[in-house]
Amino acid sequence: MTSSLPASSAASVLDLAPAPVVPVVVVEDAADAVPLARALVAGGLPAIEVTLRTPAALDAIREISGAVPEAVVGAGTVISPEQVTACAAAGARFLVSPGWTDVLLTAMCACGLPFLPGVSTTSEVVALLERGVRDMKFFPAQAAGGTAYLRSLAGPLPQARFCPTGGIGPDNAPEYLALPNVCCVGGSWMVPREAVRARDWPRIEGLARTASRLTAGGTCR
């Protein structure tokens, strides 16, 4: 029998996200981190997931954490205990992983930060529930079955709450947010790469403001 892991003492990631959309951000130049975060916050999206896909990611988290206190900055694409430690030291306030293992899950639980382990199958959801984890990232959302899959999980597994990410944009985000087991969605449509590279912060703020007007219709909020 699998024993449950110690629960994190911090608030849930899903409770830290006051807006229904979490921007998933790739930062190539740490100098862009602060103005980018300020644009997202001004647009109404304060919970920001900075993915560990570039060498600048940890510096970006550190810069946002120190200079934009109104932002709730977290780390995404966390796949190792070493990254858990580094992200916590950089000032991340939550962690998101594309998937999980027992080793990674133990490290995330022990760090004290709220976290979202990634799932794409029913068995993974049940395994996390057995371990006392009920808040999860559904990834890659569209490729793994989309809204039809999540709707099917709501009946037998109503205690599981999801933040779908992967293939979500302004056209299908409302359909996800209408589900009873979806609390928020993650996406990058409000931070298009060309706008970041051009440092077009007003455009990003406008896209964020539009995204922040979406509402979650489920019981998570």
Side-chain angles (χ1 to χ4, degrees), residues 14 20 24 50 71 81 93 118 127 132 142 144 165 169:
L14 302 183
V24 179
V50 177
R93 293 175 61 183
Q142 282 292 93
T165 304

Side-chain angles (χ1 to χ4, degrees), residues 10-14 16-17 22-24 46-50 61 71-76 78 84 87-88 91-97 108 111-116 163:
S12 163
V13 174
L14 302 183
L16 283 176
V22 177
V24 179
I48 304 168
E49 177 188 335
V50 177
I61 292 170
V72 182
V73 62
V78 177
V84 169
C87 291
R93 293 175 61 183
F94 63 90
L95 307 173
V96 183
S97 67
M108 290 194 294
C111 80
L113 295 175
F115 60 90
L116 285 178
C163 175

Side-chain angles (χ1 to χ4, degrees), residues 170-192:
D171 293 334
N172 61 3
E175 185 179 357
Y176 279 95
L177 289 168
L179 298 176
N181 52 355
V182 169
C183 300
C184 58
V185 298
S188 57
W189 74 88
M190 73 298 297
V191 283

Side-chain angles (χ1 to χ4, degrees), residues 124-145:
E124 290 171 318
V125 175
V126 172
L128 285 177
L129 291 174
E130 284 183 349
R131 290 159 171 79
V133 178
R134 71 187 191 109
D135 295 341
M136 311 169 196
K137 169 179 177 174
F138 181 56
F139 176 83
Q142 282 292 93

Side-chain angles (χ1 to χ4, degrees), residues 182-205:
V182 169
C183 300
C184 58
V185 298
S188 57
W189 74 88
M190 73 298 297
V191 283
R193 185 160 296 186
E194 69 275 10
V196 176
R197 287 177 174 170
R199 295 178 168 85
D200 190 348
W201 313 129
R203 179 186 173 194
I204 290 172
E205 180 180 338

